[in-house]
Amino acid sequence: MDESQGRVTKDGIRIYNTTSDFDGIRRACQVTAQILDEVAQHVQPGISTMDLENFIRTRVEELGTTSATIGYRGYQHASCISINHVVCHGIPGDKKLKDGDILNIDITVILDGWYGDSSRMYVAGALPRKAERLIQVTYDSLMLGIEAVKPGNTFGDIGHAIQRYVEANRMSVVRDFCGHGVGRVFHAPPNVLHYGREGSGAVLEEGMIFTIEPMVNLGRPDTKVLADDWTAVTRDKSLSAQFEHCVGVTADGCEIFTTSPSKRFHPTWR
């Protein structure tokens, strides 16, 4: 990365140019959002997660982008697909979706050196009531976190808004994984926690770019990583959900770069 581009805060967070740089990441993020829109019609009972992966990999190439995850720390797929009690980093395979399965699909593409990172929830067939409520609370918590993004607020304000809402709905926020800085690198400072105290953490400044991606469990927040060193699951086998947006801090708030072109960011939006 060109170190002359922008500046870095004392917390190691890069400040990007809100005109030229925001345009670059916006274009990358919109490719990711487009693919996440397109894959929705393929999520149905009887389809394997590898079928979904193959569609995603093909579209990444057809749209002139590169997958950020293929080859990343040895990972060999263009998506992470996490079903039911899988919290994150689920590996695509031969497992076929069943009616009522919920799943998170996470994609990151690279376009002209910019990383577009987003994930959202899907359902195969009929959406069970308890899963519907979990998904809604998770989505609402993401948007409450985003509402806290503006210059002068802190990263603790984001986490606090998410945690307070989730726990008020008698669910739990996963603490083992977090959002992150993104831009011309895949993962960068800061760690964006989805829990915390108001007024704590680094102060938000115009030009910061990062993801907010709360993982919410119906049961306890505890997770464990399986023997494949990637797949994280809930220890109590409770359902888990996640939504992820990439945002940039503007002069008076923030811009969401990963909005759905077809307004399909939520699985009940048809």
Side-chain angles (χ1 to χ4, degrees):
M1 179 174 179
D2 181 4
E3 292 299 321
S4 67
Q5 183 183 50
R7 64 178 177 85
V8 176
T9 71
K10 63 181 179 62
D11 299 294
I13 305 170
R14 183 161 296 279
I15 304 298
Y16 287 94
N17 181 294
T18 56
T19 301
S20 59
D21 294 341
F22 273 34
D23 181 63
I25 197 164
R26 185 184 300 117
R27 287 185 288 110
C29 284
Q30 279 300 292
V31 173
T32 298
Q34 178 182 338
I35 297 171
L36 289 172
D37 276 4
E38 293 174 355
V39 76
Q41 64 183 321
H42 299 281
V43 177
Q44 53 189 290
I47 293 293
S48 75
T49 54
M50 186 57 74
D51 292 332
L52 300 176
E53 158 69 16
N54 289 336
F55 172 81
I56 291 165
R57 185 185 291 242
T58 297
R59 292 301 288 146
V60 168
E61 295 173 356
E62 289 175 345
L63 291 170
T65 59
T66 303
S67 169
T69 53
I70 296 175
Y72 179 77
R73 297 184 178 178
Y75 195 76
Q76 294 303 314
H77 303 283
S79 63
C80 293
I81 303 179
S82 304
I83 305 174
N84 294 332
H85 73 288
V86 178
V87 176
C88 60
H89 303 157
I91 302 174
D94 296 331
K95 182 180 178 63
K96 294 185 183 298
L97 299 177
K98 303 186 301 295
D99 185 60
D101 279 346
I102 63 170
L103 56 153
N104 176 274
I105 301 180
D106 191 343
I107 304 173
T108 307
V109 306
I110 310 171
L111 177 63
D112 298 330
W114 293 97
Y115 287 72
D117 187 4
S118 184
S119 80
R120 63 178 82 154
M121 296 300 296
Y122 301 83
V123 59
L127 179 60
R129 180 67 188 96
K130 65 178 182 178
E132 181 178 14
R133 183 167 176 269
L134 169 66
I135 288 170
Q136 189 62 50
V137 168
T138 307
Y139 171 78
D140 290 342
S141 75
L142 168 65
M143 300 312 294
L144 286 168
I146 290 174
E147 285 181 14
V149 177
K150 60 182 179 181
N153 277 3
T154 68
F155 283 96
D157 294 331
I158 298 171
H160 179 76
I162 293 168
Q163 180 184 10
R164 179 175 57 187
Y165 181 77
V166 169
E167 293 180 353
N169 281 277
R170 299 190 177 186
M171 300 179 193
S172 63
V173 177
V174 171
R175 287 160 167 73
D176 297 330
F177 302 94
C178 61
H180 53 88
V182 69
R184 286 196 173 274
V185 292
F186 195 175
H187 296 101
N191 289 334
V192 183
L193 305 181
H194 304 116
Y195 60 94
R197 293 181 294 105
E198 288 180 298
S200 66
V203 176
L204 299 167
E205 297 184 41
E206 181 181 2
M208 290 179 174
I209 299 174
F210 50 88
T211 69
I212 305 176
E213 46 187 292
M215 288 146 272
V216 176
N217 298 345
L218 269 180
R220 296 182 59 81
D222 310 279
T223 70
K224 65 178 179 180
V225 177
L226 302 185
D228 59 28
D229 290 330
W230 283 104
T231 308
V233 301
T234 56
R235 283 190 175 273
D236 61 7
K237 302 295 180 68
S238 63
L239 287 178
S240 186
Q242 178 188 18
F243 285 93
E244 175 185 11
H245 267 318
C246 178
V247 303
V249 183
T250 62
D252 57 359
C254 77
E255 176 179 348
I256 303 173
F257 298 120
T258 42
T259 54
S260 164
S262 301
K263 297 181 172 55
R264 293 179 179 175
F265 190 73
H266 191 290
T268 65
W269 300 350
R270 300 295 186 186

